[in-house]
Amino acid sequence: MRLRIGGDRLLHVYTWILIAWLVLPIAVMILFGFNDPQGRYNQTWQGFTLKWYGEVFALEALTDALVVSLLVAVATALIAGALGTGIGYALGRWQFRGAGALNLLMFAAIASPELVMGSSLLSLFVSLGAPLGPVSITIAHVMFSVSFVAVVVRARVVTLDRSLEEAAADLGASGWTTFWKVIFPIILPAILSGVMLAFALSIDDFVITNFTAGTTQTFPLWIWGSTRVGLPPQVNVMGTMIFAGGVLLAVLSNVRSRPRRKTA
Amino acid sequence: MTTSPPKSAAHPAIEFVGVRKDYLSHGEAVPAVRSLDLAIGQGEFFSLLGPSGCGKTTTMRMVAGFEEPTAGRVMLDGRDVTGVAPNKRDVNMVFQSYALFPHLTVRQNVAFGLERKKVAKAEITRRVGEMLEIVSLTGMEKRQPREMSGGQQQRVALARALVNHPRALLLDEPLGALDLKLRQQMQIELKRIQREVGITFVYVTHDQGEALTMSDRIAVMNSGLIEQLGSPRDIYERPSTRFVAGFIGTSNLIDGRVSWADQGYAVIDKGSGERVVVPVPGTVPVGRDLEVSVRPEKIDLHRTLPSGVTGSLLSGTVTEVVYHGTSTNYTVATSDGTDLVVFDQNAHDAEDVASRGERVFLTWAPQHSYPIGV
Ligand SMILES: Nc1ncnc2c1ncn2[C@@H]1O[C@H](COP(=O)(O)OP(=O)(O)O)[C@@H](O)[C@H]1O
Ligand SMILES: [Mg+2]
């Protein structure tokens, strides 16, 4: 109880430190997208310019890498979203044989180091003779992100009122109709969170992608390759755009899920 | 309003034939409904009344199809529906939690069942509008459940079930979540709606007042069995078992041995002029143990020994006086050690009220008491 005295002030300071910690690197990234560096290195502030925004897609290899990353991320989000929803719903709804094993497996997929997963995936693809490229990257990304979707969906499903399903059946709905007309719309926000999580995990994944990409360049791989020769400001601009897209999605989903005001 | 479906009056709306239901709990069969033979008539307001855990919900869920009987059959309108899936049964349920679809508007909730039956759009609009009028929710079609009060949600749940014109409407403690005032209001409402639509209502409750107010018939259940089946008046005035007498209202039970019997009456002599006179069917042997039930409001309380008493007369000491506005409730310890509760209408002067510790005399007419289980 003694801690309460002055606790408010302390909480404020703590909150601001935390916010600064989270925001500072992003702020630097955004800021240097407006920098006008003289040499190859975009590391010291040399003047304000908007030209990188005009020339954001000027570097063909970088643009190609970004497109690959976006395509892989979208495919991953969709596939992992669909598969994860199925797994999460099944785990949350029924007790079936193998449910325990599946839970364990999902946890293992979330917890296991990316290095381990990446290298074993590489040897799997090589031994199967599967070509490395966008497809193998997507398979790998789905593999590690499906568990996250499933966990998020399961958490929502277990809190669902079971009588909703009974009410639907009582009113004449088949199991299929009940899922699509009742369950799915209710758990959709959770599914969307899972899908966004999968997208975010995929678009900036480096370690596993590095193992499974072959000669394909993704956005993170291209950046890594360019760090030694100096990063062009376009990278900052693209990073800023991805960040802005993420913020926009977060704001939108926040607005959507806020309960509507009572209309008098 | 003719919203009731054509019914074959030849069959009861719902019939249980030798139904038993065991639940498996840790590999052991636990009986929830032991033995049930019951027919519920067309258009009847039927209540299942009993304490928590007596098997009311299980009974109802076997009608809806959410539980299958371990033995026996469930018939709807003369058709055996044992083993038929819930979505293929022509009954609808009002859930205690309402189970409204949170993502749908009131209109969409109410239309859900009709859409499943592929009823034409115009027809759906008409019937939903008509039903919302019956439950007094006109103008709230576009609201979502979370924007409504508990009482309004209750009405939506009711409309969502009734709009389908089911063979029977099943209500599982539907008013349990409402406050007292709203509950009493909804009891009257429900009765009105049931009259209006003419559909069989099966009403589950542990609230005896609710069951007595609304029902045509009541089945009082206790540990998986029906203890008594009858009209509210039957059940209240003539409880047939000790359990029913104790569960419904406040009952006084007096034990004693038959001293003499005659012409449909038995008398239990309590000594020094005190006695209990009770009507019995036929004759009972002298010396038999008898348990007599008498309702608190049937007993008259006297502060002096009344003369010319032909019925029952007992004396005792007032141990408790509780003032209730319209009535005063006394607890009287009689000379044989039984506590009797007496409700006295507050129609007379305040000086007439007996006080604690006072010696009083209790009388009641023979026809106001009943022997239990005779
Ligand atoms: N799904 C179930 N599994 C095991 N036992 C149950 C289940 N549902 C109810 N029971 C048991 O069956 C008995 C009757 O329950 P229920 O029908 O819900 O009673 P009520 O509705 O009268 O309170 C209770 O003893 C309860 O514990
Ligand atoms: Mg119950």
Side-chain angles (χ1 to χ4, degrees), chain B residues 234-302:
Chain B
D234 277 351
I235 301 250
Y236 186 79
E237 309 252 328
R238 290 224 54 169
S240 66
T241 67
R242 204 194 160 93
F243 173 82
V244 177
F247 189 71
I248 310 283
T250 310
S251 234
N252 294 306
L253 290 176
I254 304 160
D255 286 313
R257 187 157 291 168
V258 175
S259 318
W260 53 275
D262 181 37
Q263 289 175 338
Y265 286 96
V267 175
I268 298 168
D269 196 347
K270 292 280 188 186
S272 50
E274 296 183 19
R275 68 203 174 246
V276 174
V277 185
V278 64
V280 288
T283 54
V284 291
V286 169
R288 180 193 155 146
D289 281 329
L290 211 57
E291 202 168 17
V292 176
S293 158
V294 55
R295 292 290 181 190
E297 68 274 19
K298 306 285 190 194
I299 303 179
D300 291 320
L301 184 137
H302 310 268

Side-chain angles (χ1 to χ4, degrees), chain B residues 49-368:
Chain B
L49 173 65
S52 177
C54 72
K56 308 181 296 290
T57 297
T58 304
T59 304
M60 174 157 284
R61 289 171 63 83
M62 284 192 287
V63 179
F66 298 127
E67 304 290 350
E68 287 299 334
T70 310
R73 286 172 300 146
V74 178
M75 326 268 287
L76 286 180
D77 242 356
R79 193 169 74 95
D80 189 348
V81 293
T82 319
V84 175
N87 58 336
K88 301 267 161 46
R89 294 191 188 194
D90 198 7
V91 292
N92 285 117
M93 187 150 166
V94 174
F95 292 80
Q96 181 165 12
S97 62
Y98 310 143
L100 297 178
F101 305 129
H103 60 296
L104 301 181
T105 64
V106 168
R107 182 201 296 284
Q108 290 166 330
N109 264 284
V110 177
F112 193 89
L114 296 176
E115 280 168 4
R116 302 286 77 73
K117 286 190 204 151
K118 305 262 184 288
V119 175
K121 268 235 164 67
E123 168 87 356
I124 292 182
T125 310
R126 188 184 65 74
R127 274 166 72 174
V128 169
E130 190 181 290
M131 191 44 70
L132 287 177
E133 201 179 309
I134 290 180
V135 300
S136 319
L137 283 179
T138 308
M140 301 206 180
E141 292 85 350
K142 297 223 171 70
R143 292 230 189 144
Q144 299 218 309
R146 65 164 167 267
E147 299 167 333
M148 311 187 85
S149 71
Q152 290 170 332
Q153 292 185 19
Q154 163 75 71
R155 286 157 196 268
V156 178
L158 198 62
R160 184 179 67 175
L162 276 177
V163 76
N164 305 295
H165 298 170
R167 293 280 149 192
L169 184 74
L170 313 172
L171 304 104
D172 191 357
E173 314 222 4
L175 308 183
L178 305 180
D179 61 57
L180 183 65
K181 186 128 191 179
L182 203 52
R183 198 152 73 215
Q184 288 167 342
Q185 202 178 317
M186 276 307 289
Q187 287 173 9
I188 298 166
E189 242 347 41
L190 270 176
K191 189 71 193 167
R192 172 184 67 78
I193 292 168
Q194 195 255 346
R195 265 197 304 270
E196 219 161 294
V197 297
I199 290 173
T200 309
F201 274 36
V202 182
Y203 194 94
V204 160
T205 181
H206 65 263
D207 180 335
Q208 38 121 351
E210 211 165 275
L212 291 172
T213 315
M214 295 196 282
S215 322
D216 296 320
R217 278 199 305 158
I218 300 174
V220 183
M221 289 185 73
N222 183 28
S223 35
L225 287 172
I226 291 183
E227 290 259 344
Q228 188 173 1
L229 178 66
S231 70
R233 187 172 287 274
D234 277 351
I235 301 250
Y236 186 79
E237 309 252 328
R238 290 224 54 169
S240 66
T241 67
R242 204 194 160 93
F243 173 82
V244 177
F247 189 71
I248 310 283
T250 310
S251 234
N252 294 306
L253 290 176
I254 304 160
D255 286 313
R257 187 157 291 168
V258 175
S259 318
W260 53 275
D262 181 37
Q263 289 175 338
Y265 286 96
V267 175
I268 298 168
D269 196 347
K270 292 280 188 186
S272 50
E274 296 183 19
R275 68 203 174 246
V276 174
V277 185
V278 64
V280 288
T283 54
V284 291
V286 169
R288 180 193 155 146
D289 281 329
L290 211 57
E291 202 168 17
V292 176
S293 158
V294 55
R295 292 290 181 190
E297 68 274 19
K298 306 285 190 194
I299 303 179
D300 291 320
L301 184 137
H302 310 268
R303 302 178 72 184
T304 53
L305 181 64
S307 56
V309 176
T310 54
S312 300
L313 170 72
L314 291 175
S315 72
T317 309
V318 175
T319 57
E320 199 89 65
V321 182
V322 183
Y323 180 70
H324 273 293
T326 56
S327 71
T328 304
N329 298 2
Y330 299 94
T331 308
V332 176
T334 59
S335 37
D336 71 343
T338 316
D339 277 339
L340 296 185
V341 179
V342 180
F343 296 167
D344 195 22
Q345 289 294 318
N346 289 335
H348 28 251
D349 299 338
E351 299 91 75
D352 256 1
V353 176
S355 49
R356 260 183 56 176
E358 192 174 332
R359 183 172 164 80
V360 293
F361 301 90
L362 308 176
T363 61
W364 64 89
Q367 67 270 24
H368 286 151

